[in-house]
Amino acid sequence: MQTELSKTLGVEHAVFGFTPFPAVAAAISRAGGFGVLGAVRYTAPDELKRDLDWIEAHVDGRPYGLDVVMPAKKVEGVTEADVEAMIPESHRQFVKDTLTRYGVPELAEGETSGWRITGWMEQVARTQLDVAFDYPIKLLANALGSPPTDVIDRAHEQDVLVAALAGSARHARKHADAGIDVVVAQGYEAGGHTGEIASMVLTPEVVEAVDPLPVLAAGGIGSGQQVAAALALGAQGVWLGSIWLTTTEAELPSPRLIEKLFAAGSGDTVRSRALTGKPARQLRTEWTDAWDDPDGPGALPMPLQGLLVAEAVSRIQKHEVEPLLGTPVGQIVGRMNSERSVQAVFDDLTRGFEKAVDRVNRIAGRSAEQ
């Protein structure tokens, strides 16, 4: 599964794996793909440094990258406290009432909430980059589109390719104009933040819009046959995220959450603003239903919503409150019905890819004879 882009980066397979887990990122690179560590959850530079040190020690010299969540425009002088003060009391009360209705226990005294969506903030994202550029990363991806121009320039000075996610051809052209090297065409089926155009339509549109820049197809891809289809549509690789959540190397916080992922079908996800304030595909739960209910207060814009629900999400996960328990995941969840190693996922991808290519070659051969 090699393309011009995979050869440029020195990887065997044109499979780019996004994950928040260092062990998964390293395993993806060792398996011949390109592991990309999500940085948004790292608010302390030392924590990111620790995990990049670990990855360096476990990739066997293979290449890897980093994914940040960074706005294209700078916002100077805004602190987390300033943002917190913008959250209406009515929304805080809605969170309290919902948690009370489901009997969600409080965190222990002195225990802080887990992941808070602060990586979007200019100063946090830049501290992540200060750490990351001390490591031999080969790709910097930005989930919010094109990063600021000075960040792109800094990456290029260190021979680091820059990728940006796009949900439409219009967005993709903006990324190309900004100097991006790789565009990730993320379809409607994808987990996390995603647009409204399906991958089968989006991928060729983006390929045409940014030619000759390489494009990675994302959204709903979890088999070798789908990888072959993406390459047939003009992509130079695939960007996979959800499929790694149920691998043995992943570190999901809740056994019940893993069980819910195994049990879910492709129709059991929803694009909801409940987690971050932007439409993000995730498991449909009574928590997402509460935020999407027209009679409720509705989600706040990003980043207010993420800060508002951070502690609530931590409490739900810690105490495994099943009706509310969820996670960002794409429609490919319907194929995620057992725990496998990252290597086993790659073995399935390569076998499926070979079968698909053989099938097309046979069809082409019969057509030629006729």
Side-chain angles (χ1 to χ4, degrees):
M1 296 189 289
Q2 279 202 337
T3 65
E4 183 178 346
L5 178 60
S6 66
K7 292 176 182 176
T8 297
L9 289 169
V11 296
E12 183 179 357
H13 303 301
V15 175
F16 294 71
F18 164 81
T19 174
F21 306 121
V24 175
I28 290 168
S29 291
R30 289 198 308 272
F34 191 95
V36 182
L37 179 67
V40 70
R41 67 191 180 97
Y42 295 97
T43 57
D46 288 346
E47 294 175 354
L48 179 57
K49 183 180 186 304
R50 175 202 64 205
D51 284 355
L52 288 176
D53 282 339
W54 191 94
I55 289 176
E56 265 294 296
H58 290 84
V59 293
D60 297 342
R62 307 289 183 90
Y64 62 93
L66 191 75
D67 179 278
V68 296
V69 179
M70 194 174 193
K73 296 181 180 179
K74 296 183 180 181
V75 180
E76 302 287 356
V78 178
T79 66
E80 184 177 335
D82 294 332
V83 178
E84 289 269 15
M86 301 176 190
I87 298 174
E89 184 56 38
S90 59
H91 279 72
R92 295 187 187 277
Q93 189 61 48
F94 179 76
V95 171
K96 293 177 183 177
D97 292 344
T98 303
L99 296 180
T100 299
R101 186 163 66 253
Y102 287 91
V104 182
E106 298 276 354
L107 294 176
E109 184 176 351
E111 184 178 3
T112 58
S113 60
W115 176 50
R116 291 170 65 81
I117 301 175
T118 54
W120 65 275
M121 299 180 72
E122 180 76 14
Q123 63 269 33
V124 176
R126 286 186 178 275
T127 61
Q128 294 169 350
L129 295 178
D130 288 340
V131 172
F133 283 133
D134 285 336
Y135 292 82
I137 62 171
K138 297 299 183 183
L139 178 77
L140 174 67
N142 187 27
L144 288 184
S146 304
T149 301
D150 69 294
V151 172
I152 297 174
D153 292 342
R154 184 179 178 187
H156 288 166
E157 288 170 2
Q158 298 192 208
D159 294 324
V160 176
L161 297 182
V162 181
L165 273 66
S168 71
R170 177 175 60 85
H171 292 156
R173 281 190 287 268
K174 286 185 177 181
H175 298 339
D177 292 341
I180 293 297
D181 305 294
V182 181
V183 176
V184 181
Q186 179 146 299
Y188 172 84
E189 310 95 326
H193 296 131
T194 186
E196 299 181 347
I197 305 174
S199 300
M200 183 64 74
V201 175
L202 179 66
T203 301
E205 285 187 351
V206 172
V207 168
E208 182 177 352
V210 302
D211 184 60
L213 289 185
V215 172
L216 300 177
I221 300 172
S223 73
Q225 290 87 343
Q226 291 170 310
V227 176
L231 300 189
L233 292 173
Q236 286 203 32
V238 293
W239 178 274
L240 309 185
S242 297
I243 198 70
W244 315 113
L245 288 175
T246 52
T247 56
T248 54
E249 294 89 348
E251 302 168 11
L252 284 179
S254 164
R256 289 188 183 179
L257 179 56
I258 296 174
E259 292 172 2
K260 290 188 74 171
L261 288 171
F262 287 159
S266 56
D268 293 326
T269 67
V270 62
R271 285 174 75 245
S272 172
R273 299 177 184 269
L275 185 62
T276 69
K278 283 194 170 191
R281 186 170 295 285
Q282 54 203 282
L283 280 180
R284 182 177 180 179
T285 66
E286 293 183 32
W287 177 255
T288 62
D289 287 348
W291 284 104
D292 296 338
D293 188 337
D295 293 331
L300 296 169
M302 189 179 188
L304 301 182
Q305 182 73 10
L307 293 173
L308 169 65
V309 305
E311 180 178 325
V313 171
S314 294
R315 289 166 59 184
I316 292 166
Q317 290 181 345
K318 177 180 179 181
H319 299 289
E320 297 189 302
V321 183
E322 198 276 337
L324 306 180
L325 191 61
T327 184
V329 69
Q331 291 180 332
I332 197 64
V333 70
R335 297 180 63 96
M336 297 159 50
N337 49 26
S338 65
E339 190 175 49
R340 299 178 293 167
S341 68
V342 167
Q343 183 62 61
V345 172
F346 266 88
D347 291 342
D348 285 346
L349 289 173
T350 53
R351 280 194 295 266
F353 181 82
E354 290 170 356
K355 288 180 180 178
V357 171
D358 287 345
R359 184 183 304 119
V360 172
N361 284 338
R362 287 197 302 272
I363 293 171
R366 284 196 297 272
S367 298
E369 291 172 2
Q370 294 171 352

